[in-house]
Amino acid sequence: MGGQDATMVLLDENGIRCDGRKIDEPRRIMIKAGGLKNADGSAYIEFGDNKILVGVFGPRDVHPKHMSDTDTGILRVRYHMEPFSVSDRKNPAPSRREIEISKVIKEALEPAVMLEKFPRTAVDVFIEVLQADGGTRCAALSAASVALADAGIPMRDMVAACASGKVADTIVLDVNNEEDQAGQADMPIGYMPSLEKITLLQLDGVLSPEEYKKCVEVGVNGCKIVYELQKKALNDKYFGTKSD
Ligand code: UDP
């Protein structure tokens, strides 16, 4: 997180952000369910300039067998950024950041997935970030939920995700890459709207208790916007006129 000197650039006197958005306006979001023929379920999301593809496989046998659990199914998540997804080529080897994001997405999805319904098996979620522009963990988590639903995995709810943050002393919705670099705080949130439960909450930066509350409120509202688009993606595939 950067300092206050970026204030003038990040938010102008009319409350317009560096990419032309208002403080409570998310980036353009497009979600598509399905698309990968060889996966049991899949989804594609464009969230601003983020472009992410998710494939879900399973429930299927666990190899090696000792990794399985006789009482419950297990969820495995791999978040991977393509070397060409960012302007400075990313090393193809898994980075600490990718391992961390894989873990937080897995933990954010686990409360939603009824793993107890398929003991001894695994559900694999493969996330491929084709283009990254800040907020990939939220976009990936939202797409992963749609891909799991597309695979017919029993779920309590979908997890919708969106970040809020503090930019130029103002709480804003959906922090972009520039705001993430130069802003004061970034709070990715994963939320199950029907159950009103938060499954992911991270905070990079410093907030007062009031700002913290406001950030959660703004972020949860963003998740509700994403949730409608997740449902629309599934409706379009299963009940709409679009072929897939
Ligand atoms: N990023 C990058 N190179 C990397 C990793 C990340 O340019 O090796 C960029 C990318 O645009 C990413 C952003 O930094 O979206 C913010 O990354 P962060 O770790 O905050 O995760 P995210 O916001 O994507 O969930």
Side-chain angles (χ1 to χ4, degrees), residues 50 79 81 86 90 97 101 132-137 177 180-181 186:
N50 293 301
Y79 164 102
M81 270 174 77
V86 283
K90 189 211 151 272
R97 177 181 167 275
I101 295 181
D133 189 44
T136 58
R137 78 194 62 204
N177 200 25
D180 187 21
Q181 308 281 317
D186 174 28

Side-chain angles (χ1 to χ4, degrees), residues 89-115:
R89 179 182 177 276
K90 189 211 151 272
N91 187 318
S95 62
R96 285 174 64 102
R97 177 181 167 275
E98 284 169 298
I99 294 165
E100 181 237 344
I101 295 181
S102 300
K103 181 173 182 290
V104 299
I105 292 178
K106 168 181 140 69
E107 289 173 359
L109 288 169
E110 271 170 348
V113 182
M114 295 178 175
L115 290 164

Side-chain angles (χ1 to χ4, degrees), residues 94-182:
S95 62
R96 285 174 64 102
R97 177 181 167 275
E98 284 169 298
I99 294 165
E100 181 237 344
I101 295 181
S102 300
K103 181 173 182 290
V104 299
I105 292 178
K106 168 181 140 69
E107 289 173 359
L109 288 169
E110 271 170 348
V113 182
M114 295 178 175
L115 290 164
E116 69 282 1
K117 286 200 185 284
F118 33 89
R120 296 188 186 84
T121 67
V123 173
D124 288 297
V125 179
F126 293 99
I127 296 164
E128 293 296 330
V129 179
L130 310 176
Q131 190 169 286
D133 189 44
T136 58
R137 78 194 62 204
C138 288
L141 175 54
S142 302
S145 294
V146 175
L148 283 162
D150 184 48
I153 307 291
M155 290 163 85
R156 295 178 179 84
D157 197 359
M158 280 193 291
V159 182
C162 193
S164 52
K166 184 178 169 186
V167 169
D169 293 326
T170 308
I171 304 302
V172 302
L173 178 62
D174 183 23
V175 174
N176 69 22
N177 200 25
E178 230 172 326
E179 292 171 332
D180 187 21
Q181 308 281 317

Side-chain angles (χ1 to χ4, degrees), residues 33-34 40-41 146 149-152 232-240 242:
D40 295 313
V146 175
D150 184 48
K232 181 179 180 301
L234 290 164
N235 270 323
D236 282 349
K237 177 170 176 190
Y238 289 99
F239 307 110
K242 288 184 184 170

